[in-house]
Amino acid sequence: MRPSIAVVGSANPDREYTPDMKEIDLVPGACEAVGRELARAGCDLIVFSSSDNYIEKDVVRGYLAAVRVEDGATVMVRAPFDRVASFDVPPHLTHVLRVLPDSAEEWEVSYYRAVFEADGLIVVGGGRATRIAGILAVARRIPLVAMAHFGGAALSVWQHLDRHQNDATPEAISRMAAPWGDDAAEQLVASLSEQRSRMREAERAARRDHSRVRRARTVNGLVAAAAIAVALLTVVLAYGTGTTLTAVGYLIGGSLLIAAAGALINDASGEEPNLPWALARGLGAGTLATMLYMGSQTLTNPDPLDAEATRRLAWLLIPLGLTAGYTLDRVFARLRNVDALAERPFSQP
């Protein structure tokens, strides 16, 4: 699919710009060169006005000069429905120009909407609207070239891009402000292509990471479900044994498994699920909960632990193990945030 590149800006010698523009007489030729390079790079073009007050007319002239009939190129004119755009299109290229009226009555609506939908943006000179379009492109991570050498709003956009960079390399950003030369347009258009490649690679990497995390969460969930099922089974099995040792074994095994399941469920909600580490935390929490609870029971109950008492303990220890495994991270996080050595005021006796 051919990328669509929007080109915006102005270089009217009768207009005041902030920052000031320089070498304004070179801008028409530079814009024509940019249009030619966009056509050679296989890009479609998005423009907004055919007025001599803006640079689109020069860009379209260069673009049409380099387009071939068989290229399948398109110049999309995005403007409100009541605006008329007229470009000097050769008869054999009339099919290239597509006027896409926008239902919005205000030109800003169709203007910024088209910028958001573009695959790349080039800003040249310009005023407030050009500056806003460039800053929005940086914020939305749209590949961007700001022809800063000529000044105007493009210079402000370039300074903003230099602070945030996005997918533009420092070398590419420096080229945007370099003096205009014969190969400048080729380098700037190549920078757009490089930015788009980096952006697509970053998107692919993000999708791969998302898929990996989703698979890890699925594995955590399946292992947790299996651990819960086996833990509940130990309660049932404890009723089938008459020996205290076997019943205690079922009790301890079930509490450890259910605590591991709680830790896995908690870990699945994190940014980077880690099955082995979650299991280790869960087993640790289950061991701690089991020993503390059973220890408290033996200390407070003078009767010896038998199979029947063990089965009764299971109904409490299994939910306790699940809670311990699930909340272990939160408890430890609070403990880490407590400064045990913090100085506290005290009163003199």
Side-chain angles (χ1 to χ4, degrees):
M1 184 176 178
R2 294 169 62 93
S4 300
I5 308 300
V7 184
V8 301
S10 64
N12 189 340
D14 299 326
R15 176 181 173 183
E16 293 185 1
Y17 292 91
T18 303
D20 293 334
M21 293 195 66
K22 63 179 184 179
E23 298 185 2
I24 200 168
D25 56 310
L26 298 180
V27 173
C31 290
E32 282 194 41
V34 167
R36 285 195 298 272
E37 292 302 328
L38 287 173
R40 291 168 181 168
C43 300
D44 288 335
L45 188 60
I46 301 175
V47 294
F48 304 91
S49 173
S50 60
S51 171
D52 293 333
N53 294 326
Y54 303 102
I55 51 89
E56 287 105 308
K57 204 163 191 175
D58 298 317
V59 176
V60 171
R61 185 182 302 112
Y63 187 88
L64 295 176
V67 162
R68 296 173 301 178
V69 176
E70 63 273 16
D71 285 344
T74 303
V75 176
M76 290 172 280
V77 183
R78 300 293 300 271
F81 64 93
D82 57 348
R83 300 290 178 92
V84 177
S86 176
F87 294 95
D88 297 328
V89 182
H92 68 289
L93 292 177
T94 52
H95 65 282
V96 172
L97 191 69
R98 291 179 55 198
V99 180
L100 304 174
D102 196 292
S103 59
E105 296 181 2
E106 298 83 6
W107 67 268
E108 291 95 339
V109 175
S110 56
Y111 177 77
Y112 295 123
R113 182 183 294 163
V115 169
F116 284 150
E117 295 173 355
D119 297 311
L121 176 68
I122 298 177
V123 294
V124 188
R128 181 184 62 87
T130 300
R131 180 177 180 275
I132 294 174
I135 291 176
L136 290 175
V138 174
R140 292 289 294 269
R141 201 180 177 184
I142 298 172
L144 171 68
V145 164
M147 295 170 60
H149 173 71
F150 297 113
L155 177 56
S156 299
V157 173
W158 175 78
Q159 292 169 338
H160 188 73
L161 176 63
D162 186 46
R163 289 191 293 269
H164 295 85
Q165 291 192 2
N166 286 349
D167 298 298
T169 64
E171 294 78 12
I173 293 175
S174 295
R175 284 198 299 267
M176 296 178 196
W180 190 259
D182 294 338
D183 61 344
E186 181 181 0
Q187 292 181 358
L188 294 179
V189 172
S191 171
L192 272 182
S193 300
E194 292 168 1
Q195 291 179 54
R196 292 188 69 249
S197 297
R198 291 190 189 92
M199 184 180 69
R200 288 197 299 269
E201 179 56 37
E203 290 173 348
R204 286 193 291 267
R207 286 194 294 269
R208 288 194 298 268
D209 288 343
H210 179 72
S211 298
R212 176 178 55 80
V213 170
R214 186 171 57 186
R215 287 194 298 270
R217 286 174 176 164
T218 301
V219 172
N220 274 23
L222 292 174
V223 175
I228 292 173
V230 175
L232 295 176
L233 180 62
T234 61
V235 178
V236 177
L237 293 175
Y239 279 87
T241 181
T243 63
T244 301
L245 183 62
T246 306
V248 170
Y250 284 138
L251 175 66
I252 295 174
S255 63
L256 292 179
L257 284 171
I258 202 74
L264 287 169
I265 294 171
N266 182 34
D267 187 63
S269 63
E271 294 182 0
E272 290 289 338
N274 188 322
L275 177 63
W277 179 231
L279 283 173
R281 293 199 308 272
L283 292 174
T287 301
L288 181 63
T290 301
M291 294 186 68
L292 289 176
Y293 187 76
M294 292 189 66
S296 67
Q297 292 299 312
T298 57
L299 288 174
T300 58
N301 189 353
D303 297 330
L305 188 67
D306 56 14
E308 181 60 30
T310 301
R311 286 191 283 267
R312 289 196 301 268
L313 287 177
W315 292 102
L316 295 175
L317 194 53
I318 293 297
L320 181 63
L322 180 64
T323 303
Y326 186 79
T327 61
L328 181 67
D329 284 350
R330 293 170 173 80
V331 173
F332 279 0
R334 287 201 174 190
L335 291 176
R336 284 194 297 265
N337 291 332
V338 173
D339 187 358
L341 300 179
E343 296 183 0
R344 291 177 172 82
F346 61 92
S347 58
Q348 295 290 342

